[in-house]
Amino acid sequence: MKINLIRRNERKWKLLLVSIFFIVNSTQSQCILSKDDKQQMKDAKVEFYQPNTYFCINPLSSYFSIHPEFLQGQFTISLINKDNQIMIGIFTMPYPKGITRAEKFLIETVDLNHISKKALVQEMDTRLSQLRFVKTDYLKKINADRGYVYNTKTRKGGYLGIYPRCKKVIVYKDNVGRAEILFFYKYGQDALVKQEIERTWGLLKFKP
């Protein structure tokens, strides 16, 4: 009984710390990227447009894992919708140019332009969704070659102790890079998150 009480108190403190984190960071309405983040997005040839009703917070550390079975790349940009609290995390990955021997080996041995089946098995929550392909007309709007949408697994208690659901959008520009847009949301917001993906489509766009 005493152990359960301690665990409940620990959870309350964690939620309090997360709430303080959001309050402190919510004053940053416009997204301000670091020099390194700007360079990473430039190398991936990605442009960012901040959607209406969203404010930026400082990107969360990878310490806050989504699920213990997989690692998510460090977010370059994090945003929260002020009306419905849906959170967006953005990760971009420029592909190697094949200059060094290691880069050439990676390009020759790994299919960077398609989703990894191994990663998909680790990440996708098959109870909530199946793998969906982004339609061609949507890809054209952002100059991408292909894209996928699916729900990821989330840790027990939810991401940050707040979000029990996460829908992930991955888009690819062949031999250039990829971008991952994660939408974190609460129970009962399944229809709403689909609307938000539709409404914010184009917040990331590859350069032609």
Side-chain angles (χ1 to χ4, degrees):
M1 189 71 178
K2 185 177 180 180
I3 294 175
N4 290 335
L5 181 61
I6 292 172
R7 286 178 177 172
R8 282 199 297 270
N9 288 334
E10 286 179 348
R11 179 171 173 78
K12 287 180 181 178
W13 275 109
K14 287 180 181 178
L15 290 174
L16 177 61
L17 289 172
V18 170
S19 298
I20 292 172
F21 174 86
F22 281 130
I23 292 170
V24 170
N25 285 279
S26 65
T27 57
Q28 183 183 326
S29 59
Q30 297 297 316
C31 296
I32 301 173
L33 303 182
S34 69
K35 184 178 179 180
D36 289 341
D37 289 338
K38 287 180 180 178
Q39 187 60 50
Q40 181 166 320
M41 294 185 75
K42 181 180 178 181
D43 291 342
K45 296 186 177 181
V46 169
E47 297 175 325
F48 168 69
Y49 304 90
Q50 186 171 338
N52 294 333
T53 73
Y54 281 84
F55 62 83
C56 273
I57 62 171
N58 291 332
L60 301 179
S61 167
S62 57
Y63 170 79
F64 298 103
S65 65
I66 300 171
H67 192 275
E69 290 184 13
F70 67 91
L71 295 175
Q72 171 61 43
Q74 179 72 47
F75 295 143
T76 305
I77 301 171
S78 295
L79 310 103
I80 297 179
N81 188 307
K82 64 181 181 181
D83 296 328
N84 55 39
Q85 290 75 57
I86 287 177
M87 176 179 170
I88 297 176
I90 295 172
F91 166 74
T92 57
M93 172 63 74
Y95 287 161
K97 295 179 173 61
I99 298 174
T100 66
R101 183 179 296 179
E103 288 179 346
K104 290 178 181 177
F105 177 79
L106 179 63
I107 292 171
E108 291 173 358
T109 56
V110 179
D111 183 0
L112 298 174
N113 295 323
H114 295 80
I115 196 166
S116 165
K117 292 181 179 180
K118 181 179 179 181
L120 192 61
V121 169
Q122 293 175 325
E123 292 184 19
M124 188 167 69
D125 191 335
T126 54
R127 300 170 305 165
L128 299 176
S129 71
Q130 296 179 333
L131 183 66
R132 294 195 300 112
F133 296 86
V134 177
K135 295 179 180 179
T136 303
D137 54 336
Y138 282 82
L139 294 173
K140 287 181 178 179
K141 291 179 182 179
I142 60 171
N143 300 313
D145 291 304
R146 67 192 54 79
Y148 309 90
V149 183
Y150 58 93
N151 273 79
T152 71
K153 300 171 184 174
T154 52
R155 65 185 309 108
K156 187 177 180 180
Y159 180 60
L160 303 177
I162 299 173
Y163 299 104
R165 297 281 187 264
C166 175
K167 194 170 286 289
K168 186 171 185 175
V169 179
I170 308 180
V171 288
Y172 294 80
K173 184 74 172 177
D174 284 350
N175 306 318
V176 173
R178 78 172 186 270
E180 302 179 2
I181 310 169
L182 287 78
F183 290 79
F184 297 94
Y185 60 104
K186 302 174 185 177
Y187 292 123
Q189 291 186 319
D190 299 85
L192 183 60
V193 78
K194 292 178 182 178
Q195 294 173 15
E196 286 300 305
I197 292 173
E198 180 88 18
R199 189 178 71 82
T200 60
W201 191 259
L203 66 89
L204 284 187
K205 182 181 293 186
F206 289 103
K207 295 179 181 178

